[in-house]
Amino acid sequence: MACDGGLPVLGTICDRLEALAPPALAESWDNVGLLAGDRSATVCRVMTCLTITPASAEEAVTRRADLVVSHHPLPFRPLQRVVTDTTVGRLLWQLLSHGVAIYSPHTAWDSTAGGINQQLAEGLALRDIVPLVPAADAPEIGSGRCGRLRDRLALRAVADRLKAFLALDRLQVVGDLEAPIERIAVACGAAGELLAPARQAGCQL
């Protein structure tokens, strides 16, 4: 597919992505934003994926993408060298050799106003949804979410609701399936640091 004139430059697309998921919302350990690329380069084709893998990198090159927006960052940890004898180095070398830029919103997208945690909370039909850990300068957004169900439900029923929302065949649950649940915390990813705030918010799940 040929691209017409008047194409946006990478910097403009990055500005729009940052407006959707401000990098300031990302966790301190994360690596978000434009991770590789020339902000002045024009962009015709954009590819999205959850994680850059050998298969998705090959697809980006084959389909002549100018930009890959990947939820998980590549690279995630600081690199001292980019060489092809490591998986990360090989993927970066492949993409950069073909002029493919990389952008990752990761935990900024998890925590933003319409991000993953908010969508999960709404998918569970929670009410009075607020961040578990509000952002310092914007308390209406932040890490995780918590809210309450309209009516108290057994854990089994909440699990079934989540399975239906996410169209899952299986879901792992820890706890008494008949335990009554009213307040729920939501946190995508490992989220171990959000267990204490969830308890403080009075969440049972």
Side-chain angles (χ1 to χ4, degrees):
M1 181 183 72
C3 292
D4 299 326
L7 294 172
V9 297
L10 179 58
T12 299
I13 295 176
C14 291
D15 290 343
R16 293 179 181 178
L17 290 169
E18 290 176 3
L20 286 172
L25 290 176
E27 300 297 329
S28 59
W29 45 261
D30 205 1
N31 189 25
V32 302
L34 181 62
L35 305 182
D38 176 1
R39 287 182 179 272
S40 65
T42 56
V43 174
C44 172
R45 310 192 78 177
V46 179
M47 175 177 152
T48 63
C49 62
L50 177 66
T51 303
I52 295 176
T53 64
S56 58
E58 182 64 30
E59 181 180 356
V61 171
T62 301
R63 292 177 177 267
R64 298 182 180 180
D66 301 301
L67 169 65
V68 172
V69 179
S70 170
H71 184 64
H72 294 130
L74 180 79
F76 177 61
R77 294 180 177 84
L79 296 176
Q80 292 183 317
R81 57 185 60 86
V82 178
V83 292
T84 59
D85 53 0
T86 67
T87 299
V88 171
R90 187 163 55 253
L91 293 174
L92 285 170
W93 187 261
Q94 180 182 13
L95 293 172
L96 299 183
S97 295
H98 289 85
V100 183
I102 303 169
Y103 186 98
S104 171
H106 203 206
T107 54
W109 177 241
D110 294 345
S111 299
T112 196
I116 295 175
N117 285 318
Q118 184 70 26
Q119 293 179 45
L120 286 170
E122 292 174 0
L124 284 167
L126 298 185
R127 298 182 169 197
D128 305 324
I129 301 169
V130 296
L132 269 176
V133 181
D137 56 345
E140 70 280 3
I141 54 179
S143 300
R145 294 292 187 274
C146 67
R148 62 179 181 83
L149 296 167
R150 184 183 67 178
D151 300 305
R152 189 172 294 182
L153 295 176
L155 175 57
R156 183 191 307 276
V158 179
D160 287 340
R161 181 178 290 185
L162 186 59
K163 281 176 63 179
F165 172 63
L166 295 176
L168 299 174
D169 294 325
R170 297 182 58 191
L171 184 72
Q172 290 184 313
V173 180
V174 176
D176 179 0
L177 290 176
E178 303 309 320
I181 303 295
E182 182 178 7
R183 290 187 62 79
I184 298 176
V186 173
C188 58
E193 70 277 8
L194 295 178
L195 285 173
R199 292 192 188 99
Q200 292 168 4
C203 297
Q204 296 95 26
L205 172 63

